Amino acid sequence: MGGPEDAGDDAAPRRGYAKGAARRAQILDQVLRMVAEHGVDASSLRSVADAVGVSHATLRHYFPTRDDLLVAVYHEHEVQRGDAGGPPSSVVGGMRKSAVLNREVPGLVQLYTTLAGDAAGEGHPVTREFFRERFTRLRAELSEQVRADQEAGRIDPAVDAGDLAALAIAASDGIQVQWLLDPDAVDGARVLELLERLVPPPAEPGS
Amino acid sequence: MGGPEDAGDDAAPRRGYAKGAARRAQILDQVLRMVAEHGVDASSLRSVADAVGVSHATLRHYFPTRDDLLVAVYHEHEVQRGDAGGPPSSVVGGMRKSAVLNREVPGLVQLYTTLAGDAAGEGHPVTREFFRERFTRLRAELSEQVRADQEAGRIDPAVDAGDLAALAIAASDGIQVQWLLDPDAVDGARVLELLERLVPPPAEPGS
């Protein structure tokens, strides 16, 4: 399960580590653009290798399983977009901005939803661990942001920071699925904007 | 793709329609209990047939593909729980109640999340259509409920009913994924209760 059982050390001996890392990054970037443009289908590692123009053995050296590749592609997307670089400037605001950006890359929203389905199911330990860690990190970052907003007098201190963080992530993830299936009926950014407006400021003194 | 290309009319000739329907319902109920107890894994129709104790041909007669079976199982779960029988009594309240009930059947929450991932991806037309219709119906029912609450003076009429309906469904779907991956860290019912509290009543006259 996901083990690099035949990773083929020939392809990247120790002295070639930097070269190997560069090659990996190059392949990842190509697959990322492929997924962004055409979506992720049920394709095998073999067909991805063909499309990217590397041998099946080379692709398997860097990404032993399809799950390894898809998780790496989604992570790379987040890194390139800066999602992984510190907390967003506002709790729901960051999610709303993502929803606007995501309109341009339905293939990556599709990849995210497919991976979330895998993570929740059996038989995808790499994907499950990626999502578990991602949710834990995101909840911690957003909770911190909520508490900062509460100290600055922008959010009612009675709201539980952890629950609001989990809610913002949940709303963002859930609305993407509805949008993917019915882009004309669902405006993800507008729905998240509603959630943002619902979060109450501190109660007026004396009210 | 999902076509009953070898549905085997022998197994349920027209004169045996009622018998066929009963047999189908019986199989469905067995698979539903199986999924509720043990979750859905990457099992083939063949292994489901073995577990339920019918021939592969019989199972394929009623459910030509794995997608047909899984969608039917989830639909049956909703019917048995009464989700499919009219709008819930309150917009987020119904979702919150579902989250409490879902704690008892993680296998079905897992099935839902797996199916949502399939629906958003390629190659699962039956699942996609089921989810599209389900979301369209749920958004319509919940929107109607929001408007009723607005007319009764329970929800601020400035809130867009359709957006709130989509938000409630999104939050409910999204929180289940976080809960499945980390049940000790995430309390889905409490997070949906927060959303319920955030929905504002009408503004006080003169304020």
Side-chain angles (χ1 to χ4, degrees), chain A residues 19-97:
Chain A
K19 203 176 147 198
R23 186 76 184 108
R24 182 184 185 278
Q26 193 186 24
I27 293 173
L28 204 52
D29 198 59
Q30 266 178 287
V31 181
L32 173 55
R33 269 181 291 154
M34 223 172 79
V35 170
E37 276 169 43
H38 306 293
V40 56
D41 62 5
S43 61
S44 62
L45 277 186
R46 198 172 291 277
S47 61
V48 169
D50 286 350
V52 173
V54 298
S55 75
H56 184 223
T58 299
L59 188 62
R60 282 205 61 182
H61 168 70
Y62 293 111
F63 308 100
T65 68
R66 192 170 174 268
D67 285 356
D68 288 314
L69 176 64
L70 293 183
V71 163
V73 164
Y74 193 79
H75 178 68
E76 178 64 19
H77 160 64
E78 289 198 317
V79 169
Q80 286 191 10
R81 206 163 71 176
D83 294 6
S89 57
S90 112
V91 181
V92 187
M95 303 283 163
R96 184 163 48 81
K97 257 188 283 175

Side-chain angles (χ1 to χ4, degrees), chain B residues 1-205:
Chain B
M1 285 229 194
E5 64 279 2
D6 62 348
D9 272 274
D10 303 350
R14 267 162 201 266
R15 67 180 183 279
Y17 178 77
K19 203 176 146 199
R23 186 77 184 105
R24 182 184 185 278
Q26 194 186 25
I27 293 173
L28 203 52
D29 198 58
Q30 267 178 284
V31 182
L32 173 55
R33 268 181 292 154
M34 223 172 78
V35 170
E37 276 168 45
H38 306 293
V40 55
D41 62 5
S43 60
S44 62
L45 276 187
R46 197 172 292 277
S47 61
V48 169
D50 286 348
V52 174
V54 297
S55 75
H56 184 222
T58 299
L59 188 63
R60 283 204 60 180
H61 167 71
Y62 294 111
F63 308 99
T65 68
R66 191 169 174 268
D67 285 357
D68 289 313
L69 176 63
L70 294 184
V71 163
V73 164
Y74 193 79
H75 179 67
E76 178 64 19
H77 160 63
E78 289 197 318
V79 169
Q80 287 191 9
R81 204 163 73 175
D83 294 4
S89 57
S90 112
V91 181
V92 187
M95 303 283 163
R96 186 163 46 82
K97 256 189 282 176
S98 288
V100 173
L101 292 171
N102 282 342
R103 281 186 202 145
E104 308 304 318
V105 285
L108 285 158
V109 179
Q110 195 187 54
L111 173 60
Y112 180 86
T113 304
T114 301
L115 288 175
D118 287 350
E122 309 290 337
H124 301 274
V126 171
T127 312
R128 174 175 278 251
E129 201 43 39
F130 173 73
F131 267 77
R132 253 185 77 102
E133 280 179 13
R134 185 178 175 280
F135 281 135
T136 301
R137 173 176 55 76
L138 269 180
R139 280 194 302 263
E141 286 176 3
L142 290 182
S143 297
E144 203 183 307
Q145 183 64 46
V146 172
R147 279 187 288 268
D149 279 341
Q150 287 174 324
E151 277 162 31
R154 284 187 293 268
I155 291 182
D156 185 346
V159 171
D160 184 278
D163 285 351
L164 182 55
L167 174 61
I169 298 162
S172 173
D173 287 358
I175 204 64
Q176 300 294 347
V177 183
Q178 291 181 54
W179 171 73
L180 267 182
L181 291 179
D182 216 340
D184 295 330
V186 176
D187 183 336
R190 212 181 60 200
V191 169
L192 295 177
E193 208 179 288
L194 168 61
L195 177 57
E196 208 171 0
R197 282 203 310 273
L198 293 184
V199 178
E204 298 277 329

Side-chain angles (χ1 to χ4, degrees), chain A residues 13-186:
Chain A
R14 270 166 197 265
R15 68 180 183 277
Y17 178 77
K19 203 176 147 198
R23 186 76 184 108
R24 182 184 185 278
Q26 193 186 24
I27 293 173
L28 204 52
D29 198 59
Q30 266 178 287
V31 181
L32 173 55
R33 269 181 291 154
M34 223 172 79
V35 170
E37 276 169 43
H38 306 293
V40 56
D41 62 5
S43 61
S44 62
L45 277 186
R46 198 172 291 277
S47 61
V48 169
D50 286 350
V52 173
V54 298
S55 75
H56 184 223
T58 299
L59 188 62
R60 282 205 61 182
H61 168 70
Y62 293 111
F63 308 100
T65 68
R66 192 170 174 268
D67 285 356
D68 288 314
L69 176 64
L70 293 183
V71 163
V73 164
Y74 193 79
H75 178 68
E76 178 64 19
H77 160 64
E78 289 198 317
V79 169
Q80 286 191 10
R81 206 163 71 176
D83 294 6
S89 57
S90 112
V91 181
V92 187
M95 303 283 163
R96 184 163 48 81
K97 257 188 283 175
S98 287
V100 173
L101 291 171
N102 282 342
R103 279 186 202 146
E104 308 305 317
V105 285
L108 285 159
V109 180
Q110 196 188 54
L111 172 60
Y112 180 86
T113 304
T114 301
L115 288 176
D118 287 350
E122 309 289 337
H124 300 274
V126 170
T127 312
R128 173 174 280 249
E129 201 42 37
F130 173 73
F131 269 78
R132 254 185 76 101
E133 279 179 14
R134 184 179 175 279
F135 281 135
T136 302
R137 174 176 55 77
L138 270 180
R139 281 194 301 263
E141 286 175 3
L142 290 181
S143 298
E144 202 183 309
Q145 183 66 46
V146 172
R147 278 187 289 267
D149 279 341
Q150 288 175 322
E151 277 165 30
R154 285 188 291 267
I155 291 182
D156 186 345
V159 171
D160 183 278
D163 285 351
L164 181 54
L167 174 61
I169 299 163
S172 172
D173 287 357
I175 204 64
Q176 300 294 348
V177 183
Q178 292 182 55
W179 170 74
L180 267 181
L181 291 177
D182 216 340
D184 295 331
V186 175

